[in-house]
Amino acid sequence: MEGKEKTEGELLTEELCWKFPHIGKKESEQFEEASRFCEGYKLFLDKCKTERECVSVAVDMLEKAGYREFNCTENYQPGDKVYQVNRQKAILMTTFGKKPLAEGVRINGAHIDSPRLDLKPYPLYEKSDIAYFKTHYYGGIRKYQWGTIPLAIHGIVVKKNGEKVRVCIGEEPGDPVFCISDLLPHLSSKQNERKLSEGLKGEELNVIVGSLPFMDDQVKEPVKLLALQLLHEKYGITEEDFFRAEIEMVPAQKAVDVGLDRSMIGAYGQDDRVCAYTALMAEIETKCPQYTTVTVLTDKEEIGSKGNTGMDAFYFKHYIEDLAESCKTPLRKILRNSLCLSADVSAAYDPTFSEVFEANNAVYMNRGCVLTKYTGSRGKGGASDASAETMAQVIRIMEEQGVYWQTGELGAVDQGGGGTIALYVAQLDIDVVDLGVPVLAMHSPFELTAKNDVYQAYRAFKAFYMA
Ligand code: MN
Ligand code: MN
């Protein structure tokens, strides 16, 4: 108010107290830029529903941006851009910086696997004239959420002759989709008494794939046979080929705007493709940085980062070792001086379920990206607790560029918890802290993010590489 002087208390409050601002209230014009940025993000989500699809789209984007496959015998100059693919399911990329590698690299790691339903190795069966796929869920899902929604099938099959076939049904206009049934309310009184976690049980996640028979009285399982015949016509595969396959059932829903104000995005797999996309864009747009960048899009985070495409495997360390050898610097020295963002999402405060959050330390949609000092559960069990020094370094980088950020915990104490790739990076003697985007309904088939926050994550990752 003009002419009205602030009281001593108001001035002191301004000086001493802190509240994270709402971007829409503080700088509403950023929403337009954020929305533009998110158009690309939505397309990425639609093309990238599996880790393999993420890698293949990333390779296309990188090649277009002038990246070449990394060759450890080559002598790279500042500004050169390279990438390396790990088993089609993880990818590493680098922009060489002006400083010697001995001063450390700047790492940004996001994961590109998301919770889903994998087909079992021997999936196809027929029961009472309906053909089904048996599934085994991957990652933390609330099983009841996966019934009665349209599902698409994505994956690859390696045929006996070694030929690799990409499978995808349910994404193109006019494609059929698939579905898991649930009971009608009229007959569910007994099911209603189950615990919510058993609303649909693991062995009830059976995907309906057909209901018509192959016309021959002599065939014992004609509906299954017709399904196989149709798969054979489309992909040239037989039942045996499922043993050499990785097939995932994912929500068929495309990424869409949510809300009258179109302020949010609803889509499957935003944990953690929201960080994968923003990290990838920041990496691509980084030209001639001070520090050499290492962006890694990794697999298997949702099942504990195990396996040779997860961050608990050596492939990440080996890549930095290759960088080290190419410039004759001891690996240890690089690791010790490096700084890493573990780019992963956090749970946004949900007013409907406020009791699992502690309001002062929750993260909120539209207040920017989230810097999370520690994750873990109970007494910080299993956490990589970032040091005050690391927090200071990352906060300074973001504030220099006017990035909107907030901090908070994943839920109230003893309500649960979770982990990220941070601890696997930390064990390599690298400073690391989590930075990501708040997500509502995380791990559900339709996760929500705010466009403002997605955009701030991208700005933070870019600032981190350019600082
Ligand atoms: Mn995640
Ligand atoms: Mn997750």
Side-chain angles (χ1 to χ4, degrees):
M1 292 294 144
E2 211 181 318
K4 195 182 169 216
E5 268 191 32
K6 285 181 180 163
T7 65
E8 197 183 334
E10 282 173 325
L11 288 169
L12 198 60
T13 301
E14 261 176 38
E15 191 186 335
L16 300 185
C17 298
W18 177 255
K19 273 210 162 69
F20 292 107
H22 186 290
I23 303 169
K25 293 175 187 165
K26 183 97 187 278
E27 201 174 334
S28 58
E29 36 321 343
Q30 275 215 11
F31 179 64
E32 217 173 289
E33 277 169 56
S35 294
R36 253 197 313 273
F37 179 82
C38 286
E39 288 306 303
Y41 171 47
K42 284 188 285 180
L43 292 176
F44 180 84
L45 286 170
D46 290 345
K47 284 189 283 181
C48 300
K49 291 194 176 178
T50 68
E51 57 282 13
R52 285 174 188 267
E53 289 168 357
C54 287
V55 168
S56 121
V57 166
V59 168
D60 286 349
M61 289 167 70
L62 293 170
E63 286 278 348
K64 252 183 225 146
Y67 286 72
R68 293 296 167 254
E69 260 185 272
F70 177 56
N71 169 358
C72 58
T73 63
E74 213 160 301
N75 185 16
Y76 289 106
Q77 301 303 313
D80 285 348
K81 288 175 170 282
V82 297
Y83 71 91
Q84 189 177 78
V85 171
N86 174 15
R87 298 171 173 85
Q88 314 308 316
K89 297 200 244 185
I91 184 166
L92 297 136
M93 52 216 115
T94 285
T95 305
F96 286 89
K98 294 176 203 143
K99 288 183 191 277
L101 278 179
E103 290 188 38
V105 294
R106 288 276 162 94
I107 304 159
N108 192 3
H111 67 91
I112 49 179
D113 61 319
S114 295
R116 61 185 188 241
L117 306 176
D118 286 342
L119 292 200
K120 289 193 183 191
Y122 190 73
L124 189 59
Y125 72 102
E126 167 177 344
K127 198 171 176 187
S128 309
D129 300 327
I130 297 179
Y132 291 95
F133 279 145
K134 268 279 170 203
T135 66
H136 194 138
Y137 65 97
Y138 171 98
I141 63 164
R142 307 191 73 191
K143 301 179 197 85
Y144 73 88
Q145 294 178 337
W146 290 71
T148 66
I149 59 165
L151 297 170
I153 180 169
H154 288 237
I156 64 123
V157 179
V158 182
K159 292 207 261 186
K160 206 171 229 166
N161 63 8
E163 185 198 342
K164 215 188 256 189
V165 185
R166 191 177 162 252
V167 171
C168 184
I169 306 172
E171 296 292 345
E172 294 302 317
D175 266 9
V177 295
F178 309 91
C179 187
I180 292 165
S181 64
D182 197 358
L183 275 177
L184 59 169
H186 319 65
L187 295 178
S188 66
S189 63
K190 204 157 167 220
Q191 188 199 27
N192 287 347
E193 282 159 23
R194 294 182 185 178
K195 286 191 297 181
L196 186 58
S197 60
E198 291 175 357
L200 283 176
K201 298 180 187 177
E203 290 295 352
E204 292 170 346
L205 298 173
N206 304 321
V207 180
I208 297 173
V209 297
S211 66
L212 289 177
F214 181 86
M215 290 297 287
D216 183 341
D217 288 346
Q218 297 309 304
V219 176
K220 266 208 195 104
E221 296 180 308
V223 184
K224 172 179 166 177
L225 187 64
L226 183 68
L228 271 175
Q229 188 193 26
L230 292 169
L231 283 171
H232 187 256
E233 275 169 14
K234 194 167 167 70
Y235 297 115
I237 57 174
T238 69
E239 192 166 29
E240 251 191 297
D241 287 319
F242 285 116
F243 305 141
R244 292 179 292 257
E246 282 176 8
I247 298 179
E248 310 176 8
M249 305 300 308
V250 297
Q253 165 80 50
K254 305 276 189 212
V256 287
D257 287 346
V258 172
L260 294 168
D261 53 10
R262 296 179 173 269
S263 60
M264 295 162 279
I265 292 172
Y268 162 69
Q270 297 202 70
D271 172 8
D272 185 33
R273 294 176 191 135
V274 65
C275 294
Y277 180 73
T278 46
L280 188 58
M281 293 302 283
E283 162 66 45
I284 286 174
E285 288 170 20
T286 297
K287 317 278 181 220
C288 242
Q290 292 295 321
Y291 292 93
T292 294
T293 73
V294 176
T295 305
V296 51
L297 306 184
T298 191
D299 182 28
K300 296 285 179 277
E301 193 278 340
E302 295 295 357
I303 56 169
S305 294
K306 306 298 179 195
N308 59 12
T309 52
M311 279 301 270
D312 196 20
F314 285 143
Y315 82 93
F316 171 68
K317 184 180 152 210
H318 288 164
Y319 178 76
I320 300 183
E321 208 163 357
D322 282 343
L323 291 178
E325 263 170 38
S326 73
C327 65
K328 300 184 181 54
T329 308
L331 172 69
R332 286 193 306 276
K333 205 165 177 187
I334 300 178
L335 295 176
R336 204 177 287 144
N337 290 328
S338 291
L339 178 60
C340 175
L341 299 179
S342 157
D344 208 343
V345 298
S346 187
Y349 179 83
D350 188 335
T352 303
F353 300 103
S354 56
E355 65 278 9
V356 301
F357 298 92
E358 187 264 290
N360 287 339
N361 288 280
V363 298
Y364 296 84
M365 288 215 286
N366 285 302
R367 291 191 197 175
C369 55
V370 191
L371 185 65
T372 309
K373 189 174 185 297
Y374 50 85
T375 57
S377 44
R378 299 173 307 280
K380 301 192 180 181
S384 162
D385 196 345
S387 69
E389 289 84 350
T390 302
M391 292 293 281
Q393 212 178 346
V394 175
I395 291 170
R396 180 182 51 75
I397 289 171
M398 289 196 287
E399 295 199 328
E400 275 171 6
Q401 294 302 317
V403 173
Y404 287 93
W405 66 280
Q406 56 185 321
T407 189
E409 295 191 324
L410 196 152
V413 177
D414 286 343
Q415 282 294 330
T420 63
I421 61 164
L423 66 160
Y424 304 107
V425 177
Q427 76 186 3
L428 293 172
D429 193 18
I430 295 172
D431 285 323
V432 57
V433 62
D434 285 298
L435 184 66
V437 175
V439 175
L440 265 184
M442 196 200 291
H443 282 210
S444 78
F446 192 71
E447 301 174 311
L448 299 184
T449 55
K451 290 178 181 176
N452 273 329
D453 301 331
V454 177
Y455 188 54
Q456 298 307 313
Y458 157 74
R459 293 188 64 219
F461 296 157
K462 220 170 145 181
F464 175 69
Y465 277 165
M466 289 314 289

